[in-house]
Amino acid sequence: MDKTTTLFPEQLQREIKQRFYFVDQDYTGKHRVFMDNAGGSFRLKSAVERLAMVDAIPDCSERVHNVARHLQDIEAEGADDVRLIFNARSGAVFASLTASGAMFDVIRAIAENVEGGNIVTTVLEHPSAFDAASYYAARAGKQLRVAPSNAATGGIDVDAIVALVDDQTCLLSVIYASNISGAKLDIEQIVRRAREIKPDLYIVVDAVQHAPHGIIDVEKTPVDAMNIAPYKFFGCRGSGMTWLSDRMARLPHHKLAAKGEAVWTLGSPAPAQFAVVTAIVDYVCWLGRQFADSSVRRDCFVEGMRRIELHERALLGRLLDGSEDVPGLRVIDGVTVHLDHPDLATRDLIVAISLARYTPAEAVREYEKRGIIVYERVQSSLYSQRMLASFGIEGAIRISPLHCHSVADIDQFLRITAELAAGS
């Protein structure tokens, strides 16, 4: 196997597709290319199977018999795999119904219990983070400071964030990557420079959008909380996973009085949630072992994520620049690429475009007729309004493939886009 190419070899690409449900067809068997992975995500067969198998077990894991202990082992392994994803060597794992719900809980705990007169966030945050910061800032009588976006990069400048931090900032809440432009924020620089201003600053990062696309390492970015949504990371819906630093976990929060001070999960644990995380990590490690021989699980995971990132960057380049046979989005007449940037290393695999002949909603319907699933992001949506307005964009078609996609999938999308742009 060629270990230098950035695209997956064809045989491995076929194996990857076979490990997921409905990559090349919908549940009825109709052929389609699904490029709305920023809204949902392809499901690993192993994750769905593990969820069903573990959830079917009737036993309560808070017992002492053999099956209960088996469920406890599943929970412990899954919690360790959450830490592995983040490269967290300590701290607590908080399992919740959704990543959004967990974000509200985390921001509330900081806003209500940490001294300081202001909270800093950015205009590109997901509503779960932005609205939580806004709501609890108002409840706690703190000023909300919002860093503006940069339309040239599609992201947020480090300087714009750091300029809002002072010795009275109790919380900095930032997103890892924009779910409109795909622009990655420089979390390492943000954390370092913000802590130079206030060393004990609490920092929370929404990694839901970025986690399926790149390596996360809280040893390099020592924040206090970071969340993921397994359903956007090859897993299943109905689950959010959040890592909490030791000091974050000890802040006052909703909990059963008899539980330990660092326990955030309310009610009986759901072992199947943790089994799904382990299935995700198992898959990424399998992928990593196709390129690197290691017995260290984190090393295999990192290599797997690195290869995902490289493959997706090659797909992004193909989308934008095309090839000798198929023109890319940057050169198709009637197509506007919004928030374009030449450095693809600063991007996750998300592209926002407009077609001159169609509104975003009309274009999405036309794509669907031709077997392509994308989605419109418009200012009338609560999930997009604030971000799009900050860029001065009324609406766009969001294209969000995943590493499961091949060059052939990208080329099919480009050919159909050229047909739509030409009115054919």
Side-chain angles (χ1 to χ4, degrees):
M1 181 181 295
D2 184 358
K3 297 187 179 183
T4 61
T5 182
T6 55
L7 285 166
F8 294 134
E10 290 186 12
Q11 177 57 39
L12 180 58
Q13 185 74 65
R14 287 192 291 269
E15 290 183 45
I16 289 169
K17 283 195 173 189
Q18 290 168 1
R19 287 174 178 256
F20 288 82
Y21 285 112
F22 308 126
V23 178
D24 293 321
Q25 60 188 29
D26 67 14
Y27 75 99
T28 70
K30 182 179 179 181
H31 175 76
R32 71 173 188 174
V33 178
F34 182 83
M35 292 189 172
D36 187 26
N37 289 281
S41 181
F42 289 126
R43 306 282 193 266
L44 270 171
K45 293 177 181 177
S46 59
V48 175
E49 291 162 3
R50 284 283 286 164
L51 175 73
M53 181 181 70
V54 175
D55 203 42
I57 298 172
D59 302 72
C60 174
S61 63
E62 297 180 306
R63 300 294 185 266
V64 296
H65 56 273
N66 286 340
V67 175
R69 284 196 289 270
H70 172 64
L71 294 176
Q72 292 165 19
D73 290 341
I74 290 173
E75 292 170 19
E77 183 180 20
D80 285 344
D81 281 333
V82 172
R83 293 187 182 90
L84 182 147
I85 290 170
F86 293 123
N87 198 29
R89 300 176 188 178
S90 60
V93 172
F94 173 26
S96 57
L97 181 64
T98 66
S100 293
M103 183 61 75
F104 269 81
D105 289 338
V106 167
I107 288 178
R108 174 181 181 172
I110 298 170
E112 292 185 344
N113 297 288
V114 177
E115 292 184 358
N118 68 78
I119 291 172
V120 175
T121 189
T122 85
V123 74
L124 295 187
E125 301 304 303
H126 186 275
S128 62
F130 189 91
D131 293 357
S134 177
Y135 180 75
Y136 287 112
R139 280 192 58 173
K142 301 177 189 292
Q143 179 190 24
L144 182 68
R145 300 176 176 179
V146 182
S149 61
N150 182 333
T153 65
I156 308 283
D157 295 341
V158 175
D159 287 345
I161 295 172
V162 174
L164 301 179
V165 176
D166 59 28
D167 62 1
Q168 287 299 303
T169 304
C170 73
L171 165 65
L172 169 59
S173 175
V174 293
I175 197 167
Y176 216 122
S178 167
N179 61 14
I180 299 292
S181 68
K184 293 183 283 189
L185 276 64
D186 190 340
I187 301 297
E188 189 169 349
Q189 287 295 316
I190 291 168
V191 171
R192 181 184 63 79
R193 291 183 56 189
R195 289 256 174 79
E196 287 175 353
I197 297 168
K198 187 176 183 183
D200 62 348
L201 176 64
Y202 278 78
I203 303 175
V204 174
V205 176
D206 173 0
V208 170
Q209 189 62 61
H210 174 66
H213 304 290
I215 299 164
I216 295 172
D217 189 343
V218 298
E219 286 291 307
K220 295 180 179 178
T221 60
V223 299
D224 290 286
M226 192 178 291
N227 66 343
I228 60 172
Y231 85 91
K232 286 195 178 183
F233 198 172
F234 327 143
C236 306
R237 285 191 182 274
S239 178
M241 289 288 175
T242 304
W243 172 80
L244 308 169
S245 70
D246 288 328
R247 68 170 184 164
M248 178 74 231
R250 291 192 297 269
L251 285 178
H253 57 276
H254 287 151
K255 62 179 287 294
L256 300 181
K259 294 280 190 177
E261 67 172 347
V263 175
W264 283 58
T265 301
L266 289 169
S268 299
Q273 285 183 293
F274 294 92
V276 166
V277 174
T278 293
I280 293 167
V281 174
D282 283 346
Y283 164 73
V284 177
C285 288
W286 166 81
L287 188 54
R289 285 193 294 272
Q290 308 307 304
F291 298 93
D293 183 16
S294 175
S295 60
V296 179
R297 190 164 170 81
R298 168 68 185 181
D299 291 347
C300 293
F301 181 83
V302 167
E303 182 64 17
M305 291 307 305
R306 189 174 79 87
R307 291 293 171 169
I308 285 172
E309 186 175 15
L310 290 173
H311 179 80
E312 290 189 345
R313 192 176 302 159
L315 294 183
L316 179 58
R318 185 86 169 199
L319 265 174
L320 294 170
D321 296 324
S323 65
E324 292 181 0
D325 299 321
V326 184
L329 294 172
R330 286 170 169 163
V331 298
I332 298 175
D333 289 339
V335 174
T336 298
V337 180
H338 297 290
L339 311 168
D340 197 4
H341 195 273
D343 186 359
L344 301 189
T346 67
R347 289 301 204 260
D348 285 338
L349 185 51
I350 295 177
V351 178
I353 68 169
S354 292
L355 300 182
R357 291 179 175 269
Y358 301 97
T359 68
E362 290 169 345
V364 168
R365 302 291 84 78
E366 292 299 321
Y367 275 115
E368 183 181 7
K369 292 175 185 177
R370 293 159 176 81
I372 302 286
I373 301 300
V374 290
Y375 195 64
E376 72 268 20
R377 297 279 67 177
V378 291
Q379 287 204 29
S380 59
S381 167
L382 67 91
Y383 291 105
S384 307
Q385 189 278 331
R386 176 175 17 87
M387 303 83 148
L388 289 171
S390 79
F391 291 129
I393 299 172
E394 287 295 323
I397 306 150
R398 184 178 66 186
I399 310 151
S400 52
L402 208 61
H403 74 278
C404 310
H405 285 116
S406 64
V407 166
D409 298 324
I410 300 299
D411 287 354
Q412 181 180 349
F413 171 81
L414 290 173
R415 289 188 184 97
I416 289 172
T417 299
E419 291 173 3
L420 290 175
S424 58

